[in-house]
């Protein structure tokens, strides 16, 4: 079992920045591929970015390339999402997720989820 707890969401103006954190705990938590997804009102859960357990591989959704950066501190079992140049369309609940094995953009491939943190970007 892996437990995930997100933090760092909030209200920010267009063009601003936020850094989300996700602390993982549990057996072998540091060996999981981890990812961020988001869900806006009335929409499904969408892939944002993912990072392998050793940070050797990463992948981003097209809309986030160049604006978002995913990183992890293995010693602290913490995943980060640095979000810059935020836009109103980035408003959503952001979820941290974990899975064994390689990267995936599909939420069904992930076994463990956090409770989510709200990000609101005002225009």
């Amino acid at each position: 079992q892996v437990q995930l707890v997100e933090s760092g969401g909030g209200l920010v103006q267009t063009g601003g920045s936020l850094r989300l954190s996700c602390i993982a705990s549990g057996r072998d938590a540091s060996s999981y591929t981890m990812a961020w997804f988001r869900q806006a009102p009335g929409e499904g859960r969408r892939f944002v970015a993912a990072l392998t357990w050793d940070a050797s591989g990463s992948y981003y959704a097209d809309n986030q390339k160049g604006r978002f950066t995913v990183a992890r501190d293995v010693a602290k079992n913490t995943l980060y999402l640095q979000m810059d140049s935020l836009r109103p369309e980035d408003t959503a609940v952001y979820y941290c997720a974990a899975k064994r094995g390689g990267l995936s953009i599909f939420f069904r491939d992930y076994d463990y989820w956090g409770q989510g943190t709200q990000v609101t970007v005002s225009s």
Side-chain angles (χ1 to χ4, degrees):
Q1 279 285 55
V2 175
Q3 294 79 41
L4 305 172
V5 179
E6 304 99 331
S7 62
L11 174 64
V12 64
Q13 292 184 333
T14 296
S17 298
L18 281 174
R19 188 177 81 157
L20 307 182
S21 299
C22 172
I23 299 176
S25 61
R27 186 180 179 88
D28 298 326
S30 62
S31 65
Y32 283 67
T33 285
M34 297 183 73
W36 291 98
F37 287 78
R38 69 186 187 185
Q39 187 166 14
E43 297 184 2
R45 197 162 295 190
R46 297 184 178 182
F47 174 76
V48 174
L51 191 65
T52 55
W53 70 273
D54 59 356
S56 64
S58 62
Y59 191 76
Y60 295 87
D62 287 342
N63 288 344
Q64 281 78 53
K65 288 179 182 177
R67 298 191 301 124
F68 291 7
T69 303
V70 64
R72 70 192 295 171
D73 184 330
V74 176
K76 295 181 179 179
N77 279 351
T78 302
L79 181 74
Y80 302 100
L81 184 67
Q82 177 66 41
M83 305 186 294
D84 299 317
S85 303
L86 283 163
R87 307 165 180 166
E89 53 264 40
D90 294 317
T91 295
V93 177
Y94 284 70
Y95 296 91
C96 175
K99 66 180 293 290
R100 293 190 181 276
L103 298 172
S104 174
I105 67 171
F106 302 106
F107 72 89
R108 292 181 179 86
D109 290 340
Y110 288 82
D111 301 307
Y112 302 102
W113 292 86
Q115 81 289 350
T117 186
Q118 176 71 47
V119 171
T120 303
V121 185
S122 64
S123 57

